Amino acid sequence: MEKLIINGGKRLNGSLDVMSAKNSILPLLSASILTDEEVVIHKCPEISDVESMIKILMKLGVDVKREGSDIIINASTINSCLIPTELAGELRSSIFLLGSIIAKLRCGQVAYPGGCDIGIRPIDIHIKGLKELNIDIREEFGHIVCDGENMKAADIILDIPSVGATENLMMASVFTEGVTVIRNVAKEPEIVDLQNFLNLMGADIRGAGSSVIFIRGVKKLHGVEYTPIPDRIVAGTYLIAGAMCGGKIELSGVVSEHIHSLIAKLTKTTCNIEVKNDKIKLYSNGDLRAIEKIETMYYPGFPTDLQTQMMAMLTTASGTSVIVENIFETRMREVPEFIKMGADIIVKGRTAIIHGVKRLHGADVVATDLRGGASMVLAGLRAEGVTTVRELRHIDRGYESIEKCFESLGADIRRMN
């Protein structure tokens, strides 16, 4: 089993180019099956979530190949509406395929999806919305079986602004005659990216980025070449690392507006941040002040996917910080791992109270999920001594060769069996 060995305490200096966002690529891969023409998606990192989605598409009969960082999809050969159980169990985003498969083939079947165990993420919002489109849905032996022969446009209100449900319903509605309206939708940049992608393919969608999206059905879509938005969570992770370890780092290929909530917090901790076009420069001496309170919220609020990384940073910030997790109820599972390293953290329900300590010390820790795993790496980079991070399969879901990226910034980190 692979592990990361980190000899901490090194300052970080250098530059990184941020790849396309995992949380955009996955729905775009799903949407690519809506046309029989070739689709090319550029600048895709080699991460396990993307590779799992490619495997699922190939199981459906779709022709998919990689050429460097490009993924080329031809769905004219698709021959199945059954998303394989063994692969759906590995990837929660397999649920995105349900909407696009139903739109394409008027049928669909998927097992309940897997992914990170960070709390209850019910797919009943997806199912309820698909039923509003007059899709017949039944549950059989752990599978969701859908019949879309009688689909029709609808006015749908989501119970919560779920990113996945918003994307799924956008794809499901593309060919439905009339205008479908989806209200209380997610506003994340990935939603806007999906709208832009589909519209370039010939769809008629507007409203992404606001609370209401309108989809006017079209007859067909055509092929397209597309570069997704950069990964704001990966960018944020590296900025936080630079802040806590000290040094100077520059990220290129970033949309600063997508991480405005993070930049606003980092500037309160003595970091100096410069933004120009698609570049962000961060300067830090590593001596940080506590942040009085951070609450995770739906976009444009502070993202839950950066909460654990911020907690890692605040463990050594001078003073007391408070983090409130409003999205996922078990996003505090990494706290015992931080405490192993000398952190002073008290958790009460969904609130963590972090009393900054002067230093962390190296320890043998475990990645509990994707973002929690990244936070363990960050803590190891800051700690004195050697830190071992295990269960790298979680980290590899969303970070391409995380050890090589940090090594290029001057960290002493290596991957070992």
Side-chain angles (χ1 to χ4, degrees):
M1 184 178 295
E2 289 185 321
K3 59 187 177 183
L4 290 178
I5 308 295
I6 306 167
N7 186 17
K10 305 290 190 297
R11 286 181 173 267
L12 301 180
N13 293 281
S15 59
L16 289 172
D17 186 34
V18 179
M19 295 291 279
S20 296
K22 171 181 87 81
N23 290 338
S24 265
I25 295 170
L26 296 177
L28 297 189
L29 285 171
S30 300
S32 67
I33 71 170
L34 293 168
T35 176
D36 285 339
E37 298 179 17
E38 184 176 272
V39 172
V40 181
I41 303 176
H42 297 296
K43 211 174 179 182
C44 298
E46 291 190 33
I47 53 178
S48 61
D49 268 11
V50 170
E51 301 312 311
S52 292
M53 182 63 85
I54 289 173
K55 289 178 184 176
I56 292 173
L57 291 174
M58 293 174 72
K59 283 284 188 179
L60 297 174
V62 179
D63 181 20
V64 187
K65 59 184 177 182
R66 251 194 189 273
E67 291 184 359
S69 64
D70 293 345
I71 299 176
I72 303 161
I73 307 103
N74 187 324
S76 63
T77 55
I78 190 169
N79 55 29
S80 175
C81 63
L82 171 61
I83 300 170
T85 302
E86 67 275 11
L87 294 175
E90 295 177 7
L91 181 66
R92 180 166 186 82
S93 299
S94 61
I95 193 68
F96 296 147
L97 274 165
L98 199 54
S100 54
I101 287 175
I102 296 169
K104 173 96 170 183
L105 303 176
R106 290 298 192 252
C107 65
Q109 183 174 331
V110 64
Y112 281 93
C116 276
D117 181 16
I118 54 174
I120 299 171
R121 297 189 286 180
I123 61 171
D124 59 341
I125 300 169
H126 298 249
I127 294 172
K128 182 179 177 182
L130 292 171
K131 285 181 176 178
E132 291 285 334
L133 294 171
N134 204 39
I135 297 169
D136 179 57
I137 299 178
R138 62 187 188 276
E139 298 177 42
E140 296 181 353
F141 308 109
H143 284 73
I144 304 163
V145 182
C146 306
D147 180 350
E149 286 296 333
N150 299 310
M151 288 177 68
K152 62 182 181 181
D155 195 317
I156 304 167
I157 302 178
L158 300 182
D159 293 333
I160 62 170
S162 161
V163 174
T166 300
E167 292 168 335
N168 218 352
L169 294 171
M170 287 170 68
M171 289 184 272
S173 306
V174 163
F175 299 132
T176 304
E177 187 176 350
V179 177
T180 293
V181 183
I182 316 172
R183 306 179 190 274
N184 191 33
V185 296
K187 302 175 183 178
E188 272 73 2
E190 293 79 11
I191 304 294
V192 179
D193 212 30
L194 178 60
Q195 172 184 275
N196 293 343
F197 179 76
L198 289 169
N199 283 348
L200 281 175
M201 294 172 72
D204 186 354
I205 305 173
R206 56 189 172 89
S210 74
S211 58
V212 184
I213 292 176
F214 303 85
I215 305 108
R216 185 181 299 276
V218 297
K219 296 295 185 184
K220 65 178 293 186
L221 298 181
H222 54 74
V224 69
E225 288 195 35
Y226 194 79
T227 302
I229 58 172
D231 198 311
R232 59 194 173 101
I233 305 303
V234 169
T237 300
Y238 291 124
L239 286 176
I240 294 169
M244 65 192 292
C245 293
K248 301 177 183 179
I249 66 170
E250 178 180 286
L251 302 182
S252 58
V254 185
V255 181
S256 61
E257 183 61 29
H258 293 171
I259 50 174
H260 177 75
S261 60
L262 171 65
I263 292 172
K265 295 295 184 186
L266 289 178
T267 55
K268 294 180 179 179
T269 66
T270 71
C271 291
N272 184 3
I273 298 175
E274 297 177 6
V275 177
K276 186 176 182 181
N277 300 324
D278 70 338
K279 297 186 187 303
I280 299 179
K281 293 181 181 180
L282 179 141
Y283 307 84
S284 171
N285 62 10
D287 296 324
L288 306 179
R289 289 194 296 260
I291 297 175
E292 185 176 343
K293 191 176 186 180
I294 296 174
E295 288 201 57
T296 62
M297 299 178 186
Y298 296 108
Y299 189 85
F302 194 88
T304 182
D305 279 356
L306 287 175
Q307 183 259 98
T308 58
Q309 298 92 311
M310 283 297 278
M311 185 180 292
M313 186 190 79
L314 294 172
T315 58
T316 56
S318 176
T320 299
S321 306
V322 175
I323 294 179
V324 181
E325 174 55 57
N326 293 311
I327 310 300
F328 294 127
E329 69 278 5
T330 60
R331 257 266 156 85
M332 302 284 184
R333 292 195 308 158
E334 74 286 349
V335 168
E337 304 300 300
F338 286 139
I339 292 173
K340 279 186 194 177
M341 302 179 74
D344 183 354
I345 305 173
I346 299 171
V347 176
K348 296 181 178 179
R350 295 193 182 196
T351 299
I353 302 165
I354 305 133
H355 302 290
V357 297
K358 288 187 176 181
R359 62 185 62 84
L360 298 176
H361 54 77
D364 193 337
V365 296
V366 176
T368 57
D369 58 62
L370 170 54
R371 307 307 173 185
S375 72
M376 290 297 104
V377 175
L378 268 55
L381 292 171
R382 169 73 189 202
E384 295 181 357
V386 177
T387 296
T388 302
V389 183
R390 304 180 188 277
E391 295 293 342
L392 302 189
R393 59 191 174 87
H394 294 299
I395 299 171
D396 292 340
R397 288 186 48 230
Y399 295 87
E400 181 179 38
S401 302
I402 193 169
E403 72 283 359
K404 292 180 181 177
C405 292
F406 278 123
E407 190 176 30
S408 74
L409 296 176
D412 184 349
I413 178 173
R414 63 190 187 280
R415 184 178 292 241
M416 293 181 61
N417 285 318

